[in-house]
Amino acid sequence: MGCCTGRCSLICLCALQLLSALERQIFDFLGFQWAPILGNFLHIIVVILGLFGTIQYRPRYIVVYTVWTALWVTWNVFIICFYLEVGGLSKDTDLMTFNISVHRSWWREHGPGCVRRVLPPSAHGAMDDYTYVSVTGCIVDFQYLEVIHSAIQILLSLVGFVYACYVISIFMEEEDTCRNK
């Protein structure tokens, strides 16, 4: 068995997906983005399940991973539409925090090159409102960083879907040949 088999490639891809999801999870925690935190948590669990299924030759676990990748692509397309404000969605709503806080993406104030200045709140503004924070000089706006994160997740998931389907077919083919002997 060579190192460049579909199984080995799927294992490496799952490991890469785990690293990418953990990185995204950290920044979502920093921004108190509860909906993406929950999604990332489920994604991490299912990727670990897919990794386990690939290592242990368990095609049913890989099928769960395959179905999840389709759902994960859908979620990330929604995230892209949310941050690009497609179809009536607005990145300035509290949708990602389940409407329980006014937090936004961590990248909004801490993106590459961003200079953050706290301004005195206006007389009619609330103290916990983010309108008194001024951010200037960002190299890349935060919504594009979020879109890039989601696009990377989509790319990894689509490649993972293809490899998972291939590995499932290989496992089923091996199972059929074992039964025929």
Side-chain angles (χ1 to χ4, degrees), residues 135-158:
V135 180
T136 58
C138 295
I139 296 171
V140 179
D141 288 335
F142 77 96
Q143 65 265 23
Y144 300 120
L145 288 171
E146 293 287 355
V147 166
I148 290 168
H149 272 100
S150 290
I152 290 169
Q153 293 292 326
I154 289 171
L155 178 67
L156 291 172
S157 291
L158 290 176

mmCIF file with all atom_site columns, all heavy atoms in Angstrom, residues 135-158:
data_model
loop_
_atom_site.group_PDB
_atom_site.id
_atom_site.type_symbol
_atom_site.label_atom_id
_atom_site.label_alt_id
_atom_site.label_comp_id
_atom_site.label_asym_id
_atom_site.label_entity_id
_atom_site.label_seq_id
_atom_site.pdbx_PDB_ins_code
_atom_site.Cartn_x
_atom_site.Cartn_y
_atom_site.Cartn_z
_atom_site.occupancy
_atom_site.B_iso_or_equiv
_atom_site.pdbx_formal_charge
_atom_site.auth_seq_id
_atom_site.auth_comp_id
_atom_site.auth_asym_id
_atom_site.auth_atom_id
_atom_site.pdbx_PDB_model_num
ATOM 1   N N   . VAL A 1 135 ? -12.016 51.968 14.058 1.00 0.00 ? 135 VAL A N   1
ATOM 2   C CA  . VAL A 1 135 ? -10.998 51.091 13.479 1.00 0.00 ? 135 VAL A CA  1
ATOM 3   C C   . VAL A 1 135 ? -10.614 51.662 12.120 1.00 0.00 ? 135 VAL A C   1
ATOM 4   O O   . VAL A 1 135 ? -11.472 51.868 11.265 1.00 0.00 ? 135 VAL A O   1
ATOM 5   C CB  . VAL A 1 135 ? -11.517 49.644 13.335 1.00 0.00 ? 135 VAL A CB  1
ATOM 6   C CG1 . VAL A 1 135 ? -10.450 48.757 12.731 1.00 0.00 ? 135 VAL A CG1 1
ATOM 7   C CG2 . VAL A 1 135 ? -11.969 49.104 14.673 1.00 0.00 ? 135 VAL A CG2 1
ATOM 8   N N   . THR A 1 136 ? -9.322  51.904 11.932 1.00 0.00 ? 136 THR A N   1
ATOM 9   C CA  . THR A 1 136 ? -8.847  52.457 10.667 1.00 0.00 ? 136 THR A CA  1
ATOM 10  C C   . THR A 1 136 ? -7.598  51.710 10.206 1.00 0.00 ? 136 THR A C   1
ATOM 11  O O   . THR A 1 136 ? -6.935  51.027 10.988 1.00 0.00 ? 136 THR A O   1
ATOM 12  C CB  . THR A 1 136 ? -8.493  53.957 10.809 1.00 0.00 ? 136 THR A CB  1
ATOM 13  O OG1 . THR A 1 136 ? -7.497  54.098 11.822 1.00 0.00 ? 136 THR A OG1 1
ATOM 14  C CG2 . THR A 1 136 ? -9.713  54.781 11.156 1.00 0.00 ? 136 THR A CG2 1
ATOM 15  N N   . GLY A 1 137 ? -7.286  51.855 8.940  1.00 0.00 ? 137 GLY A N   1
ATOM 16  C CA  . GLY A 1 137 ? -6.037  51.342 8.388  1.00 0.00 ? 137 GLY A CA  1
ATOM 17  C C   . GLY A 1 137 ? -5.975  49.856 8.132  1.00 0.00 ? 137 GLY A C   1
ATOM 18  O O   . GLY A 1 137 ? -4.887  49.304 7.955  1.00 0.00 ? 137 GLY A O   1
ATOM 19  N N   . CYS A 1 138 ? -7.096  49.171 8.118  1.00 0.00 ? 138 CYS A N   1
ATOM 20  C CA  . CYS A 1 138 ? -7.090  47.722 7.896  1.00 0.00 ? 138 CYS A CA  1
ATOM 21  C C   . CYS A 1 138 ? -6.632  47.408 6.466  1.00 0.00 ? 138 CYS A C   1
ATOM 22  O O   . CYS A 1 138 ? -7.097  48.028 5.509  1.00 0.00 ? 138 CYS A O   1
ATOM 23  C CB  . CYS A 1 138 ? -8.469  47.136 8.126  1.00 0.00 ? 138 CYS A CB  1
ATOM 24  S SG  . CYS A 1 138 ? -9.041  47.272 9.822  1.00 0.00 ? 138 CYS A SG  1
ATOM 25  N N   . ILE A 1 139 ? -5.733  46.452 6.349  1.00 0.00 ? 139 ILE A N   1
ATOM 26  C CA  . ILE A 1 139 ? -5.271  46.009 5.037  1.00 0.00 ? 139 ILE A CA  1
ATOM 27  C C   . ILE A 1 139 ? -6.389  45.271 4.311  1.00 0.00 ? 139 ILE A C   1
ATOM 28  O O   . ILE A 1 139 ? -6.636  45.481 3.131  1.00 0.00 ? 139 ILE A O   1
ATOM 29  C CB  . ILE A 1 139 ? -4.018  45.125 5.176  1.00 0.00 ? 139 ILE A CB  1
ATOM 30  C CG1 . ILE A 1 139 ? -2.863  45.939 5.768  1.00 0.00 ? 139 ILE A CG1 1
ATOM 31  C CG2 . ILE A 1 139 ? -3.628  44.530 3.832  1.00 0.00 ? 139 ILE A CG2 1
ATOM 32  C CD1 . ILE A 1 139 ? -1.657  45.103 6.152  1.00 0.00 ? 139 ILE A CD1 1
ATOM 33  N N   . VAL A 1 140 ? -7.080  44.404 5.052  1.00 0.00 ? 140 VAL A N   1
ATOM 34  C CA  . VAL A 1 140 ? -8.211  43.643 4.520  1.00 0.00 ? 140 VAL A CA  1
ATOM 35  C C   . VAL A 1 140 ? -9.371  43.832 5.492  1.00 0.00 ? 140 VAL A C   1
ATOM 36  O O   . VAL A 1 140 ? -9.218  43.622 6.691  1.00 0.00 ? 140 VAL A O   1
ATOM 37  C CB  . VAL A 1 140 ? -7.871  42.141 4.378  1.00 0.00 ? 140 VAL A CB  1
ATOM 38  C CG1 . VAL A 1 140 ? -9.047  41.366 3.850  1.00 0.00 ? 140 VAL A CG1 1
ATOM 39  C CG2 . VAL A 1 140 ? -6.655  41.938 3.506  1.00 0.00 ? 140 VAL A CG2 1
ATOM 40  N N   . ASP A 1 141 ? -10.540 44.203 4.972  1.00 0.00 ? 141 ASP A N   1
ATOM 41  C CA  . ASP A 1 141 ? -11.712 44.355 5.829  1.00 0.00 ? 141 ASP A CA  1
ATOM 42  C C   . ASP A 1 141 ? -12.101 43.009 6.433  1.00 0.00 ? 141 ASP A C   1
ATOM 43  O O   . ASP A 1 141 ? -11.918 41.957 5.824  1.00 0.00 ? 141 ASP A O   1
ATOM 44  C CB  . ASP A 1 141 ? -12.887 44.919 5.034  1.00 0.00 ? 141 ASP A CB  1
ATOM 45  C CG  . ASP A 1 141 ? -12.692 46.387 4.680  1.00 0.00 ? 141 ASP A CG  1
ATOM 46  O OD1 . ASP A 1 141 ? -11.943 47.064 5.404  1.00 0.00 ? 141 ASP A OD1 1
ATOM 47  O OD2 . ASP A 1 141 ? -13.296 46.835 3.688  1.00 0.00 ? 141 ASP A OD2 1
ATOM 48  N N   . PHE A 1 142 ? -12.703 43.079 7.636  1.00 0.00 ? 142 PHE A N   1
ATOM 49  C CA  . PHE A 1 142 ? -13.009 41.861 8.388  1.00 0.00 ? 142 PHE A CA  1
ATOM 50  C C   . PHE A 1 142 ? -13.954 40.923 7.638  1.00 0.00 ? 142 PHE A C   1
ATOM 51  O O   . PHE A 1 142 ? -13.808 39.706 7.723  1.00 0.00 ? 142 PHE A O   1
ATOM 52  C CB  . PHE A 1 142 ? -13.592 42.204 9.765  1.00 0.00 ? 142 PHE A CB  1
ATOM 53  C CG  . PHE A 1 142 ? -15.029 42.626 9.748  1.00 0.00 ? 142 PHE A CG  1
ATOM 54  C CD1 . PHE A 1 142 ? -16.033 41.707 10.001 1.00 0.00 ? 142 PHE A CD1 1
ATOM 55  C CD2 . PHE A 1 142 ? -15.385 43.937 9.473  1.00 0.00 ? 142 PHE A CD2 1
ATOM 56  C CE1 . PHE A 1 142 ? -17.357 42.081 9.984  1.00 0.00 ? 142 PHE A CE1 1
ATOM 57  C CE2 . PHE A 1 142 ? -16.704 44.322 9.461  1.00 0.00 ? 142 PHE A CE2 1
ATOM 58  C CZ  . PHE A 1 142 ? -17.692 43.399 9.717  1.00 0.00 ? 142 PHE A CZ  1
ATOM 59  N N   . GLN A 1 143 ? -14.903 41.468 6.898  1.00 0.00 ? 143 GLN A N   1
ATOM 60  C CA  . GLN A 1 143 ? -15.845 40.588 6.216  1.00 0.00 ? 143 GLN A CA  1
ATOM 61  C C   . GLN A 1 143 ? -15.150 39.747 5.155  1.00 0.00 ? 143 GLN A C   1
ATOM 62  O O   . GLN A 1 143 ? -15.513 38.603 4.924  1.00 0.00 ? 143 GLN A O   1
ATOM 63  C CB  . GLN A 1 143 ? -17.037 41.365 5.628  1.00 0.00 ? 143 GLN A CB  1
ATOM 64  C CG  . GLN A 1 143 ? -16.712 42.333 4.547  1.00 0.00 ? 143 GLN A CG  1
ATOM 65  C CD  . GLN A 1 143 ? -16.525 43.758 5.058  1.00 0.00 ? 143 GLN A CD  1
ATOM 66  O OE1 . GLN A 1 143 ? -16.223 43.969 6.228  1.00 0.00 ? 143 GLN A OE1 1
ATOM 67  N NE2 . GLN A 1 143 ? -16.690 44.717 4.180  1.00 0.00 ? 143 GLN A NE2 1
ATOM 68  N N   . TYR A 1 144 ? -14.109 40.292 4.540  1.00 0.00 ? 144 TYR A N   1
ATOM 69  C CA  . TYR A 1 144 ? -13.376 39.521 3.540  1.00 0.00 ? 144 TYR A CA  1
ATOM 70  C C   . TYR A 1 144 ? -12.510 38.446 4.195  1.00 0.00 ? 144 TYR A C   1
ATOM 71  O O   . TYR A 1 144 ? -12.311 37.369 3.622  1.00 0.00 ? 144 TYR A O   1
ATOM 72  C CB  . TYR A 1 144 ? -12.543 40.437 2.655  1.00 0.00 ? 144 TYR A CB  1
ATOM 73  C CG  . TYR A 1 144 ? -13.398 41.435 1.909  1.00 0.00 ? 144 TYR A CG  1
ATOM 74  C CD1 . TYR A 1 144 ? -13.221 42.795 2.076  1.00 0.00 ? 144 TYR A CD1 1
ATOM 75  C CD2 . TYR A 1 144 ? -14.426 41.007 1.067  1.00 0.00 ? 144 TYR A CD2 1
ATOM 76  C CE1 . TYR A 1 144 ? -14.029 43.711 1.423  1.00 0.00 ? 144 TYR A CE1 1
ATOM 77  C CE2 . TYR A 1 144 ? -15.237 41.912 0.413  1.00 0.00 ? 144 TYR A CE2 1
ATOM 78  C CZ  . TYR A 1 144 ? -15.039 43.263 0.591  1.00 0.00 ? 144 TYR A CZ  1
ATOM 79  O OH  . TYR A 1 144 ? -15.850 44.151 -0.051 1.00 0.00 ? 144 TYR A OH  1
ATOM 80  N N   . LEU A 1 145 ? -12.015 38.709 5.394  1.00 0.00 ? 145 LEU A N   1
ATOM 81  C CA  . LEU A 1 145 ? -11.283 37.669 6.123  1.00 0.00 ? 145 LEU A CA  1
ATOM 82  C C   . LEU A 1 145 ? -12.212 36.516 6.490  1.00 0.00 ? 145 LEU A C   1
ATOM 83  O O   . LEU A 1 145 ? -11.837 35.345 6.386  1.00 0.00 ? 145 LEU A O   1
ATOM 84  C CB  . LEU A 1 145 ? -10.638 38.256 7.382  1.00 0.00 ? 145 LEU A CB  1
ATOM 85  C CG  . LEU A 1 145 ? -9.441  39.169 7.143  1.00 0.00 ? 145 LEU A CG  1
ATOM 86  C CD1 . LEU A 1 145 ? -9.038  39.864 8.428  1.00 0.00 ? 145 LEU A CD1 1
ATOM 87  C CD2 . LEU A 1 145 ? -8.279  38.382 6.577  1.00 0.00 ? 145 LEU A CD2 1
ATOM 88  N N   . GLU A 1 146 ? -13.430 36.850 6.912  1.00 0.00 ? 146 GLU A N   1
ATOM 89  C CA  . GLU A 1 146 ? -14.407 35.805 7.225  1.00 0.00 ? 146 GLU A CA  1
ATOM 90  C C   . GLU A 1 146 ? -14.785 35.025 5.968  1.00 0.00 ? 146 GLU A C   1
ATOM 91  O O   . GLU A 1 146 ? -14.945 33.798 6.009  1.00 0.00 ? 146 GLU A O   1
ATOM 92  C CB  . GLU A 1 146 ? -15.657 36.417 7.864  1.00 0.00 ? 146 GLU A CB  1
ATOM 93  C CG  . GLU A 1 146 ? -15.428 37.012 9.236  1.00 0.00 ? 146 GLU A CG  1
ATOM 94  C CD  . GLU A 1 146 ? -15.232 35.988 10.338 1.00 0.00 ? 146 GLU A CD  1
ATOM 95  O OE1 . GLU A 1 146 ? -15.364 34.774 10.079 1.00 0.00 ? 146 GLU A OE1 1
ATOM 96  O OE2 . GLU A 1 146 ? -14.956 36.412 11.471 1.00 0.00 ? 146 GLU A OE2 1
ATOM 97  N N   . VAL A 1 147 ? -14.919 35.714 4.851  1.00 0.00 ? 147 VAL A N   1
ATOM 98  C CA  . VAL A 1 147 ? -15.243 35.049 3.586  1.00 0.00 ? 147 VAL A CA  1
ATOM 99  C C   . VAL A 1 147 ? -14.102 34.126 3.174  1.00 0.00 ? 147 VAL A C   1
ATOM 100 O O   . VAL A 1 147 ? -14.334 33.001 2.705  1.00 0.00 ? 147 VAL A O   1
ATOM 101 C CB  . VAL A 1 147 ? -15.553 36.098 2.490  1.00 0.00 ? 147 VAL A CB  1
ATOM 102 C CG1 . VAL A 1 147 ? -15.558 35.470 1.110  1.00 0.00 ? 147 VAL A CG1 1
ATOM 103 C CG2 . VAL A 1 147 ? -16.879 36.782 2.773  1.00 0.00 ? 147 VAL A CG2 1
ATOM 104 N N   . ILE A 1 148 ? -12.862 34.569 3.350  1.00 0.00 ? 148 ILE A N   1
ATOM 105 C CA  . ILE A 1 148 ? -11.699 33.731 3.028  1.00 0.00 ? 148 ILE A CA  1
ATOM 106 C C   . ILE A 1 148 ? -11.699 32.472 3.896  1.00 0.00 ? 148 ILE A C   1
ATOM 107 O O   . ILE A 1 148 ? -11.461 31.362 3.399  1.00 0.00 ? 148 ILE A O   1
ATOM 108 C CB  . ILE A 1 148 ? -10.384 34.532 3.177  1.00 0.00 ? 148 ILE A CB  1
ATOM 109 C CG1 . ILE A 1 148 ? -10.285 35.586 2.075  1.00 0.00 ? 148 ILE A CG1 1
ATOM 110 C CG2 . ILE A 1 148 ? -9.175  33.606 3.164  1.00 0.00 ? 148 ILE A CG2 1
ATOM 111 C CD1 . ILE A 1 148 ? -9.179  36.609 2.294  1.00 0.00 ? 148 ILE A CD1 1
ATOM 112 N N   . HIS A 1 149 ? -11.968 32.633 5.201  1.00 0.00 ? 149 HIS A N   1
ATOM 113 C CA  . HIS A 1 149 ? -12.044 31.465 6.086  1.00 0.00 ? 149 HIS A CA  1
ATOM 114 C C   . HIS A 1 149 ? -13.099 30.474 5.592  1.00 0.00 ? 149 HIS A C   1
ATOM 115 O O   . HIS A 1 149 ? -12.859 29.266 5.546  1.00 0.00 ? 149 HIS A O   1
ATOM 116 C CB  . HIS A 1 149 ? -12.386 31.895 7.520  1.00 0.00 ? 149 HIS A CB  1
ATOM 117 C CG  . HIS A 1 149 ? -11.214 32.243 8.346  1.00 0.00 ? 149 HIS A CG  1
ATOM 118 N ND1 . HIS A 1 149 ? -10.832 33.534 8.564  1.00 0.00 ? 149 HIS A ND1 1
ATOM 119 C CD2 . HIS A 1 149 ? -10.324 31.473 9.007  1.00 0.00 ? 149 HIS A CD2 1
ATOM 120 C CE1 . HIS A 1 149 ? -9.769  33.548 9.333  1.00 0.00 ? 149 HIS A CE1 1
ATOM 121 N NE2 . HIS A 1 149 ? -9.426  32.298 9.604  1.00 0.00 ? 149 HIS A NE2 1
ATOM 122 N N   . SER A 1 150 ? -14.269 30.983 5.238  1.00 0.00 ? 150 SER A N   1
ATOM 123 C CA  . SER A 1 150 ? -15.339 30.101 4.769  1.00 0.00 ? 150 SER A CA  1
ATOM 124 C C   . SER A 1 150 ? -15.003 29.458 3.427  1.00 0.00 ? 150 SER A C   1
ATOM 125 O O   . SER A 1 150 ? -15.315 28.287 3.201  1.00 0.00 ? 150 SER A O   1
ATOM 126 C CB  . SER A 1 150 ? -16.652 30.876 4.659  1.00 0.00 ? 150 SER A CB  1
ATOM 127 O OG  . SER A 1 150 ? -17.132 31.193 5.944  1.00 0.00 ? 150 SER A OG  1
ATOM 128 N N   . ALA A 1 151 ? -14.358 30.220 2.547  1.00 0.00 ? 151 ALA A N   1
ATOM 129 C CA  . ALA A 1 151 ? -13.975 29.661 1.241  1.00 0.00 ? 151 ALA A CA  1
ATOM 130 C C   . ALA A 1 151 ? -12.965 28.524 1.412  1.00 0.00 ? 151 ALA A C   1
ATOM 131 O O   . ALA A 1 151 ? -13.041 27.506 0.705  1.00 0.00 ? 151 ALA A O   1
ATOM 132 C CB  . ALA A 1 151 ? -13.410 30.755 0.347  1.00 0.00 ? 151 ALA A CB  1
ATOM 133 N N   . ILE A 1 152 ? -12.032 28.678 2.341  1.00 0.00 ? 152 ILE A N   1
ATOM 134 C CA  . ILE A 1 152 ? -11.065 27.608 2.622  1.00 0.00 ? 152 ILE A CA  1
ATOM 135 C C   . ILE A 1 152 ? -11.793 26.376 3.158  1.00 0.00 ? 152 ILE A C   1
ATOM 136 O O   . ILE A 1 152 ? -11.503 25.247 2.755  1.00 0.00 ? 152 ILE A O   1
ATOM 137 C CB  . ILE A 1 152 ? -9.974  28.101 3.601  1.00 0.00 ? 152 ILE A CB  1
ATOM 138 C CG1 . ILE A 1 152 ? -9.071  29.111 2.900  1.00 0.00 ? 152 ILE A CG1 1
ATOM 139 C CG2 . ILE A 1 152 ? -9.167  26.933 4.159  1.00 0.00 ? 152 ILE A CG2 1
ATOM 140 C CD1 . ILE A 1 152 ? -8.129  29.846 3.828  1.00 0.00 ? 152 ILE A CD1 1
ATOM 141 N N   . GLN A 1 153 ? -12.764 26.595 4.048  1.00 0.00 ? 153 GLN A N   1
ATOM 142 C CA  . GLN A 1 153 ? -13.545 25.472 4.580  1.00 0.00 ? 153 GLN A CA  1
ATOM 143 C C   . GLN A 1 153 ? -14.317 24.764 3.468  1.00 0.00 ? 153 GLN A C   1
ATOM 144 O O   . GLN A 1 153 ? -14.399 23.535 3.447  1.00 0.00 ? 153 GLN A O   1
ATOM 145 C CB  . GLN A 1 153 ? -14.514 25.972 5.653  1.00 0.00 ? 153 GLN A CB  1
ATOM 146 C CG  . GLN A 1 153 ? -13.859 26.479 6.904  1.00 0.00 ? 153 GLN A CG  1
ATOM 147 C CD  . GLN A 1 153 ? -13.181 25.392 7.693  1.00 0.00 ? 153 GLN A CD  1
ATOM 148 O OE1 . GLN A 1 153 ? -13.638 24.249 7.742  1.00 0.00 ? 153 GLN A OE1 1
ATOM 149 N NE2 . GLN A 1 153 ? -12.074 25.718 8.313  1.00 0.00 ? 153 GLN A NE2 1
ATOM 150 N N   . ILE A 1 154 ? -14.879 25.535 2.548  1.00 0.00 ? 154 ILE A N   1
ATOM 151 C CA  . ILE A 1 154 ? -15.617 24.942 1.430  1.00 0.00 ? 154 ILE A CA  1
ATOM 152 C C   . ILE A 1 154 ? -14.684 24.121 0.555  1.00 0.00 ? 154 ILE A C   1
ATOM 153 O O   . ILE A 1 154 ? -15.006 22.990 0.177  1.00 0.00 ? 154 ILE A O   1
ATOM 154 C CB  . ILE A 1 154 ? -16.333 26.034 0.610  1.00 0.00 ? 154 ILE A CB  1
ATOM 155 C CG1 . ILE A 1 154 ? -17.503 26.614 1.407  1.00 0.00 ? 154 ILE A CG1 1
ATOM 156 C CG2 . ILE A 1 154 ? -16.815 25.489 -0.730 1.00 0.00 ? 154 ILE A CG2 1
ATOM 157 C CD1 . ILE A 1 154 ? -18.132 27.836 0.780  1.00 0.00 ? 154 ILE A CD1 1
ATOM 158 N N   . LEU A 1 155 ? -13.524 24.666 0.230  1.00 0.00 ? 155 LEU A N   1
ATOM 159 C CA  . LEU A 1 155 ? -12.559 23.952 -0.606 1.00 0.00 ? 155 LEU A CA  1
ATOM 160 C C   . LEU A 1 155 ? -12.133 22.638 0.045  1.00 0.00 ? 155 LEU A C   1
ATOM 161 O O   . LEU A 1 155 ? -12.150 21.583 -0.598 1.00 0.00 ? 155 LEU A O   1
ATOM 162 C CB  . LEU A 1 155 ? -11.338 24.830 -0.888 1.00 0.00 ? 155 LEU A CB  1
ATOM 163 C CG  . LEU A 1 155 ? -10.227 24.191 -1.704 1.00 0.00 ? 155 LEU A CG  1
ATOM 164 C CD1 . LEU A 1 155 ? -10.706 23.927 -3.127 1.00 0.00 ? 155 LEU A CD1 1
ATOM 165 C CD2 . LEU A 1 155 ? -8.997  25.065 -1.706 1.00 0.00 ? 155 LEU A CD2 1
ATOM 166 N N   . LEU A 1 156 ? -11.771 22.694 1.331  1.00 0.00 ? 156 LEU A N   1
ATOM 167 C CA  . LEU A 1 156 ? -11.366 21.474 2.035  1.00 0.00 ? 156 LEU A CA  1
ATOM 168 C C   . LEU A 1 156 ? -12.508 20.460 2.095  1.00 0.00 ? 156 LEU A C   1
ATOM 169 O O   . LEU A 1 156 ? -12.283 19.255 1.945  1.00 0.00 ? 156 LEU A O   1
ATOM 170 C CB  . LEU A 1 156 ? -10.876 21.818 3.446  1.00 0.00 ? 156 LEU A CB  1
ATOM 171 C CG  . LEU A 1 156 ? -9.552  22.574 3.550  1.00 0.00 ? 156 LEU A CG  1
ATOM 172 C CD1 . LEU A 1 156 ? -9.292  23.004 4.988  1.00 0.00 ? 156 LEU A CD1 1
ATOM 173 C CD2 . LEU A 1 156 ? -8.407  21.737 3.017  1.00 0.00 ? 156 LEU A CD2 1
ATOM 174 N N   . SER A 1 157 ? -13.726 20.939 2.295  1.00 0.00 ? 157 SER A N   1
ATOM 175 C CA  . SER A 1 157 ? -14.874 20.029 2.382  1.00 0.00 ? 157 SER A CA  1
ATOM 176 C C   . SER A 1 157 ? -15.184 19.373 1.046  1.00 0.00 ? 157 SER A C   1
ATOM 177 O O   . SER A 1 157 ? -15.523 18.188 0.999  1.00 0.00 ? 157 SER A O   1
ATOM 178 C CB  . SER A 1 157 ? -16.098 20.780 2.891  1.00 0.00 ? 157 SER A CB  1
ATOM 179 O OG  . SER A 1 157 ? -15.917 21.134 4.238  1.00 0.00 ? 157 SER A OG  1
ATOM 180 N N   . LEU A 1 158 ? -15.102 20.137 -0.035 1.00 0.00 ? 158 LEU A N   1
ATOM 181 C CA  . LEU A 1 158 ? -15.380 19.547 -1.347 1.00 0.00 ? 158 LEU A CA  1
ATOM 182 C C   . LEU A 1 158 ? -14.346 18.488 -1.719 1.00 0.00 ? 158 LEU A C   1
ATOM 183 O O   . LEU A 1 158 ? -14.702 17.415 -2.216 1.00 0.00 ? 158 LEU A O   1
ATOM 184 C CB  . LEU A 1 158 ? -15.448 20.642 -2.413 1.00 0.00 ? 158 LEU A CB  1
ATOM 185 C CG  . LEU A 1 158 ? -16.658 21.573 -2.322 1.00 0.00 ? 158 LEU A CG  1
ATOM 186 C CD1 . LEU A 1 158 ? -16.556 22.681 -3.363 1.00 0.00 ? 158 LEU A CD1 1
ATOM 187 C CD2 . LEU A 1 158 ? -17.953 20.808 -2.462 1.00 0.00 ? 158 LEU A CD2 1
#
